[in-house]
Amino acid sequence: MTPWPDFEGAPLPAGDALAQALQGDAASRARLVRAAVVHAPFAAAVVATCQALFADGAPRPRGAAIHAAHALLARALIGPLAEAVAADALVGVADPFQPGRSLAYSALLYLAEVAPPWDARARAALAHGLSQPELRPLAWRVIGADAPEAVLPHLGALLTEQPALADEVGTRFALLFPTHCEAAAAAVAPLPLATREAFAAALEKHLLRVHAVKRWVACRRLLLGR
């Protein structure tokens, strides 16, 4: 007998059986998540099991823990995941439940969507994600709106790997961080002409709109040499 009622016509697992079930297929894990949503005691057991699975250290338990906790928006893994991301412990480790994705990406996505914006541990991990090519675009989307100092050292690498972001990045700097535009232009200046032109076009459009002519001229010189 388990300490909670049956759910959707079948018993809910406990103890080691719960840990194994969370590592099963997506449908089984989704059922456990649905049960946790409506049964608070079961939810507590699932979250505790996720903590134990992540501490296990192997990819499959860790992946199961990340995805189940993420689905429940459970904040209990914020600390362990932030620490693992900051230590690059998950980079290059394939996510057993998301083909083509690393556990580092799944962990950073959890931090981006579950951690509150004031959580310093999560913010530090997201900033660290800017240093990893596989995490950089996601980290940019999350912290690019409020942390220009964290973004600037990695801006050249971001636009080298993702040149299609040049317009978006330029627009965001011009609108949100105009005082950092020249530093951003300096970071982009060594990149190919097409990337520089797209970045410059975004800066020009938005800086001139607010009559920041001197700033735009300085950025243009850095980016285009004229």
Side-chain angles (χ1 to χ4, degrees), residues 96-113:
F97 303 102
Q98 290 288 337
R101 179 188 291 181
S102 72
L103 282 180
Y105 188 95
S106 294
L108 203 70
L109 188 62
Y110 164 98
L111 292 172
E113 297 183 353

PDB file of all heavy atoms in Angstrom, residues 96-113:
ATOM      1  N   PRO A  96      19.316  12.358 -21.849  1.00  0.00           N
ATOM      2  CA  PRO A  96      18.706  11.104 -22.293  1.00  0.00           C
ATOM      3  C   PRO A  96      17.258  11.259 -22.746  1.00  0.00           C
ATOM      4  O   PRO A  96      16.738  10.386 -23.433  1.00  0.00           O
ATOM      5  CB  PRO A  96      18.792  10.209 -21.043  1.00  0.00           C
ATOM      6  CG  PRO A  96      19.815  10.836 -20.166  1.00  0.00           C
ATOM      7  CD  PRO A  96      19.733  12.304 -20.430  1.00  0.00           C
ATOM      8  N   PHE A  97      16.620  12.349 -22.350  1.00  0.00           N
ATOM      9  CA  PHE A  97      15.197  12.517 -22.638  1.00  0.00           C
ATOM     10  C   PHE A  97      14.923  13.560 -23.721  1.00  0.00           C
ATOM     11  O   PHE A  97      13.774  13.766 -24.099  1.00  0.00           O
ATOM     12  CB  PHE A  97      14.450  12.893 -21.353  1.00  0.00           C
ATOM     13  CG  PHE A  97      14.635  11.883 -20.259  1.00  0.00           C
ATOM     14  CD1 PHE A  97      15.517  12.127 -19.223  1.00  0.00           C
ATOM     15  CD2 PHE A  97      13.966  10.675 -20.281  1.00  0.00           C
ATOM     16  CE1 PHE A  97      15.707  11.186 -18.218  1.00  0.00           C
ATOM     17  CE2 PHE A  97      14.149   9.732 -19.284  1.00  0.00           C
ATOM     18  CZ  PHE A  97      15.028   9.981 -18.251  1.00  0.00           C
ATOM     19  N   GLN A  98      15.960  14.223 -24.199  1.00  0.00           N
ATOM     20  CA  GLN A  98      15.812  15.234 -25.242  1.00  0.00           C
ATOM     21  C   GLN A  98      16.944  15.059 -26.257  1.00  0.00           C
ATOM     22  O   GLN A  98      18.002  15.667 -26.122  1.00  0.00           O
ATOM     23  CB  GLN A  98      15.855  16.652 -24.647  1.00  0.00           C
ATOM     24  CG  GLN A  98      14.652  17.023 -23.819  1.00  0.00           C
ATOM     25  CD  GLN A  98      13.420  17.258 -24.687  1.00  0.00           C
ATOM     26  OE1 GLN A  98      13.524  17.551 -25.865  1.00  0.00           O
ATOM     27  NE2 GLN A  98      12.244  17.134 -24.100  1.00  0.00           N
ATOM     28  N   PRO A  99      16.741  14.228 -27.275  1.00  0.00           N
ATOM     29  CA  PRO A  99      17.798  13.992 -28.266  1.00  0.00           C
ATOM     30  C   PRO A  99      18.304  15.300 -28.875  1.00  0.00           C
ATOM     31  O   PRO A  99      17.532  16.201 -29.204  1.00  0.00           O
ATOM     32  CB  PRO A  99      17.097  13.131 -29.320  1.00  0.00           C
ATOM     33  CG  PRO A  99      15.998  12.439 -28.575  1.00  0.00           C
ATOM     34  CD  PRO A  99      15.522  13.436 -27.546  1.00  0.00           C
ATOM     35  N   GLY A 100      19.609  15.386 -28.993  1.00  0.00           N
ATOM     36  CA  GLY A 100      20.219  16.566 -29.575  1.00  0.00           C
ATOM     37  C   GLY A 100      20.436  17.700 -28.602  1.00  0.00           C
ATOM     38  O   GLY A 100      20.945  18.758 -29.005  1.00  0.00           O
ATOM     39  N   ARG A 101      20.082  17.500 -27.352  1.00  0.00           N
ATOM     40  CA  ARG A 101      20.233  18.554 -26.348  1.00  0.00           C
ATOM     41  C   ARG A 101      21.130  18.039 -25.228  1.00  0.00           C
ATOM     42  O   ARG A 101      21.114  16.857 -24.894  1.00  0.00           O
ATOM     43  CB  ARG A 101      18.870  18.936 -25.782  1.00  0.00           C
ATOM     44  CG  ARG A 101      18.918  20.007 -24.708  1.00  0.00           C
ATOM     45  CD  ARG A 101      17.565  20.214 -24.049  1.00  0.00           C
ATOM     46  NE  ARG A 101      16.593  20.824 -24.946  1.00  0.00           N
ATOM     47  CZ  ARG A 101      15.344  21.124 -24.576  1.00  0.00           C
ATOM     48  NH1 ARG A 101      14.927  20.845 -23.343  1.00  0.00           N
ATOM     49  NH2 ARG A 101      14.530  21.679 -25.429  1.00  0.00           N
ATOM     50  N   SER A 102      21.883  18.929 -24.636  1.00  0.00           N
ATOM     51  CA  SER A 102      22.711  18.546 -23.495  1.00  0.00           C
ATOM     52  C   SER A 102      21.963  18.762 -22.188  1.00  0.00           C
ATOM     53  O   SER A 102      20.990  19.533 -22.129  1.00  0.00           O
ATOM     54  CB  SER A 102      24.008  19.365 -23.464  1.00  0.00           C
ATOM     55  OG  SER A 102      23.732  20.705 -23.095  1.00  0.00           O
ATOM     56  N   LEU A 103      22.427  18.102 -21.145  1.00  0.00           N
ATOM     57  CA  LEU A 103      21.859  18.339 -19.820  1.00  0.00           C
ATOM     58  C   LEU A 103      22.108  19.770 -19.376  1.00  0.00           C
ATOM     59  O   LEU A 103      21.299  20.343 -18.639  1.00  0.00           O
ATOM     60  CB  LEU A 103      22.447  17.361 -18.798  1.00  0.00           C
ATOM     61  CG  LEU A 103      21.901  15.937 -18.804  1.00  0.00           C
ATOM     62  CD1 LEU A 103      22.592  15.103 -17.730  1.00  0.00           C
ATOM     63  CD2 LEU A 103      20.389  15.909 -18.591  1.00  0.00           C
ATOM     64  N   ALA A 104      23.210  20.359 -19.826  1.00  0.00           N
ATOM     65  CA  ALA A 104      23.486  21.755 -19.480  1.00  0.00           C
ATOM     66  C   ALA A 104      22.402  22.665 -20.023  1.00  0.00           C
ATOM     67  O   ALA A 104      21.930  23.584 -19.337  1.00  0.00           O
ATOM     68  CB  ALA A 104      24.852  22.171 -20.019  1.00  0.00           C
ATOM     69  N   TYR A 105      21.972  22.427 -21.257  1.00  0.00           N
ATOM     70  CA  TYR A 105      20.919  23.247 -21.852  1.00  0.00           C
ATOM     71  C   TYR A 105      19.603  23.055 -21.095  1.00  0.00           C
ATOM     72  O   TYR A 105      18.905  24.027 -20.784  1.00  0.00           O
ATOM     73  CB  TYR A 105      20.740  22.896 -23.324  1.00  0.00           C
ATOM     74  CG  TYR A 105      19.801  23.830 -24.048  1.00  0.00           C
ATOM     75  CD1 TYR A 105      20.299  24.917 -24.753  1.00  0.00           C
ATOM     76  CD2 TYR A 105      18.423  23.640 -24.015  1.00  0.00           C
ATOM     77  CE1 TYR A 105      19.448  25.789 -25.414  1.00  0.00           C
ATOM     78  CE2 TYR A 105      17.562  24.510 -24.658  1.00  0.00           C
ATOM     79  CZ  TYR A 105      18.077  25.579 -25.362  1.00  0.00           C
ATOM     80  OH  TYR A 105      17.221  26.448 -25.994  1.00  0.00           O
ATOM     81  N   SER A 106      19.258  21.810 -20.797  1.00  0.00           N
ATOM     82  CA  SER A 106      18.016  21.547 -20.065  1.00  0.00           C
ATOM     83  C   SER A 106      18.057  22.182 -18.685  1.00  0.00           C
ATOM     84  O   SER A 106      17.043  22.708 -18.206  1.00  0.00           O
ATOM     85  CB  SER A 106      17.785  20.034 -19.950  1.00  0.00           C
ATOM     86  OG  SER A 106      17.556  19.467 -21.225  1.00  0.00           O
ATOM     87  N   ALA A 107      19.222  22.146 -18.050  1.00  0.00           N
ATOM     88  CA  ALA A 107      19.358  22.764 -16.728  1.00  0.00           C
ATOM     89  C   ALA A 107      19.219  24.276 -16.821  1.00  0.00           C
ATOM     90  O   ALA A 107      18.544  24.904 -15.992  1.00  0.00           O
ATOM     91  CB  ALA A 107      20.709  22.394 -16.120  1.00  0.00           C
ATOM     92  N   LEU A 108      19.837  24.877 -17.842  1.00  0.00           N
ATOM     93  CA  LEU A 108      19.747  26.328 -17.980  1.00  0.00           C
ATOM     94  C   LEU A 108      18.319  26.754 -18.323  1.00  0.00           C
ATOM     95  O   LEU A 108      17.843  27.788 -17.837  1.00  0.00           O
ATOM     96  CB  LEU A 108      20.713  26.815 -19.056  1.00  0.00           C
ATOM     97  CG  LEU A 108      21.125  28.285 -18.926  1.00  0.00           C
ATOM     98  CD1 LEU A 108      22.026  28.471 -17.702  1.00  0.00           C
ATOM     99  CD2 LEU A 108      21.847  28.763 -20.180  1.00  0.00           C
ATOM    100  N   LEU A 109      17.636  25.948 -19.120  1.00  0.00           N
ATOM    101  CA  LEU A 109      16.240  26.256 -19.448  1.00  0.00           C
ATOM    102  C   LEU A 109      15.376  26.187 -18.193  1.00  0.00           C
ATOM    103  O   LEU A 109      14.496  27.041 -17.988  1.00  0.00           O
ATOM    104  CB  LEU A 109      15.734  25.275 -20.498  1.00  0.00           C
ATOM    105  CG  LEU A 109      14.359  25.569 -21.101  1.00  0.00           C
ATOM    106  CD1 LEU A 109      14.365  26.901 -21.828  1.00  0.00           C
ATOM    107  CD2 LEU A 109      13.960  24.453 -22.055  1.00  0.00           C
ATOM    108  N   TYR A 110      15.632  25.205 -17.350  1.00  0.00           N
ATOM    109  CA  TYR A 110      14.927  25.121 -16.060  1.00  0.00           C
ATOM    110  C   TYR A 110      15.172  26.390 -15.246  1.00  0.00           C
ATOM    111  O   TYR A 110      14.233  26.998 -14.720  1.00  0.00           O
ATOM    112  CB  TYR A 110      15.404  23.888 -15.299  1.00  0.00           C
ATOM    113  CG  TYR A 110      15.066  23.861 -13.817  1.00  0.00           C
ATOM    114  CD1 TYR A 110      13.973  23.154 -13.342  1.00  0.00           C
ATOM    115  CD2 TYR A 110      15.854  24.542 -12.887  1.00  0.00           C
ATOM    116  CE1 TYR A 110      13.666  23.130 -11.985  1.00  0.00           C
ATOM    117  CE2 TYR A 110      15.560  24.528 -11.546  1.00  0.00           C
ATOM    118  CZ  TYR A 110      14.473  23.820 -11.095  1.00  0.00           C
ATOM    119  OH  TYR A 110      14.174  23.807  -9.755  1.00  0.00           O
ATOM    120  N   LEU A 111      16.419  26.806 -15.139  1.00  0.00           N
ATOM    121  CA  LEU A 111      16.736  28.004 -14.357  1.00  0.00           C
ATOM    122  C   LEU A 111      16.063  29.240 -14.956  1.00  0.00           C
ATOM    123  O   LEU A 111      15.583  30.109 -14.223  1.00  0.00           O
ATOM    124  CB  LEU A 111      18.245  28.201 -14.286  1.00  0.00           C
ATOM    125  CG  LEU A 111      19.016  27.156 -13.480  1.00  0.00           C
ATOM    126  CD1 LEU A 111      20.519  27.346 -13.659  1.00  0.00           C
ATOM    127  CD2 LEU A 111      18.648  27.204 -12.008  1.00  0.00           C
ATOM    128  N   ALA A 112      16.037  29.309 -16.282  1.00  0.00           N
ATOM    129  CA  ALA A 112      15.434  30.464 -16.949  1.00  0.00           C
ATOM    130  C   ALA A 112      13.939  30.551 -16.691  1.00  0.00           C
ATOM    131  O   ALA A 112      13.379  31.641 -16.548  1.00  0.00           O
ATOM    132  CB  ALA A 112      15.696  30.390 -18.449  1.00  0.00           C
ATOM    133  N   GLU A 113      13.260  29.398 -16.619  1.00  0.00           N
ATOM    134  CA  GLU A 113      11.801  29.391 -16.539  1.00  0.00           C
ATOM    135  C   GLU A 113      11.254  29.145 -15.136  1.00  0.00           C
ATOM    136  O   GLU A 113      10.079  29.446 -14.880  1.00  0.00           O
ATOM    137  CB  GLU A 113      11.256  28.336 -17.502  1.00  0.00           C
ATOM    138  CG  GLU A 113      11.586  28.649 -18.955  1.00  0.00           C
ATOM    139  CD  GLU A 113      11.000  27.644 -19.940  1.00  0.00           C
ATOM    140  OE1 GLU A 113      10.440  26.618 -19.487  1.00  0.00           O
ATOM    141  OE2 GLU A 113      11.101  27.886 -21.158  1.00  0.00           O
TER     142      GLU A 113
END
